[in-house]
Amino acid sequence: MKQLKLFDITQHIEEQEYLHQMHAKGWKFKHVTFPGIYSFEKVEPETMIYQLDYNPDGLKEKQEYVQMFKDCGWEYIQEFMGYSYFRKAKKEKEDESIFCDEQSRNEMINRVFKGRLVPMLFIFCGCIIPGILTGTLQRNKMILILYIVLFVLYLIIFIQFACFYFKEKDND
């Protein structure tokens, strides 16, 4: 089975929960491809915990990175857009997170910020704002409308990520 499901950069927890719920319904996550097409295979329903880690640097030494999680009982599934996908069966008195403490969780949030949001800021400041401000776009209304739509989308993403980021920082 395939499903189209979109999650933004601040919704990794919602994505984990989605994968968990699908597995509980008997649909084991196989992989995800762009633009958010999730593939599942039919299995017996069971309680599996899914976790995502954003760590492009860890993937440079992929074998060691994956082995570290495997040693803790996590099954590596795939890497997609910088995120690594892991799962393991839920056991009653066991920590369900791949992060051993708040510091490592915050480090992941900082990696998302640096790896995803900073490049978006460069695009925003280097292309979208100058594109809107230059008079050349005034000649083509469709391009101007496209730039304004991109401007609004980027603002929404920035505000959403800022709210997420500072909320997570306050939870420390």
Side-chain angles (χ1 to χ4, degrees):
M1 175 180 78
K2 294 185 185 232
Q3 280 192 343
L4 174 66
K5 189 87 169 157
L6 300 175
F7 295 98
D8 67 33
I9 60 175
T10 65
Q11 294 180 314
H12 66 279
I13 294 169
E14 290 85 350
E15 186 174 4
Q16 292 171 174
E17 184 59 29
Y18 164 71
L19 297 173
H20 164 76
Q21 289 175 359
M22 291 299 290
H23 207 120
K25 293 176 185 175
W27 293 102
K28 179 180 177 181
F29 173 62
K30 289 175 30 180
H31 63 272
V32 60
T33 58
F34 188 78
I37 299 172
Y38 289 79
S39 295
F40 299 91
E41 67 178 297
K42 187 71 174 151
V43 295
E44 286 296 317
E46 63 181 319
T47 305
M48 295 293 281
I49 304 302
Y50 285 85
Q51 293 278 283
L52 278 66
D53 183 29
Y54 185 84
N55 193 351
D57 292 335
L59 290 172
K60 290 176 185 173
E61 301 292 332
K62 188 173 183 175
Q63 186 174 356
E64 292 86 5
Y65 173 73
V66 170
Q67 186 63 47
M68 176 181 70
F69 288 100
K70 187 176 181 179
D71 292 345
C72 295
W74 292 95
E75 173 191 358
Y76 175 75
I77 304 165
Q78 79 167 94
E79 183 272 329
F80 177 68
M81 304 286 286
Y83 279 96
S84 295
Y85 289 70
F86 298 93
R87 82 172 142 237
K88 75 174 174 178
K90 180 176 178 157
K91 296 179 182 165
E92 281 189 37
K93 297 176 182 173
E94 188 173 312
D95 185 11
E96 299 173 357
S97 177
I98 58 175
F99 304 109
C100 57
D101 57 19
E102 289 300 313
Q103 180 181 351
S104 60
R105 188 179 59 79
N106 286 335
E107 288 169 359
M108 195 270 292
I109 292 167
N110 287 330
R111 288 190 300 269
V112 171
F113 177 78
K114 291 175 187 170
R116 290 283 187 86
L117 203 60
V118 170
M120 287 178 69
L121 282 169
F122 283 114
I123 293 169
F124 183 74
C125 294
C127 297
I128 295 175
I129 290 178
I132 291 173
L133 297 177
T134 61
T136 57
L137 293 177
Q138 300 301 325
R139 289 184 237 141
N140 189 332
K141 295 286 185 200
M142 289 304 292
I143 292 176
L144 178 62
I145 290 169
L146 175 67
Y147 270 80
I148 290 171
V149 167
L150 287 172
F151 178 82
V152 170
L153 287 173
Y154 268 67
L155 280 180
I156 291 168
I157 291 168
F158 294 146
I159 291 168
Q160 185 179 13
F161 188 84
C163 292
F164 168 77
Y165 184 79
F166 291 113
K167 180 181 129 198
E168 291 297 314
K169 287 293 186 186
D170 288 342
N171 287 339
D172 291 344

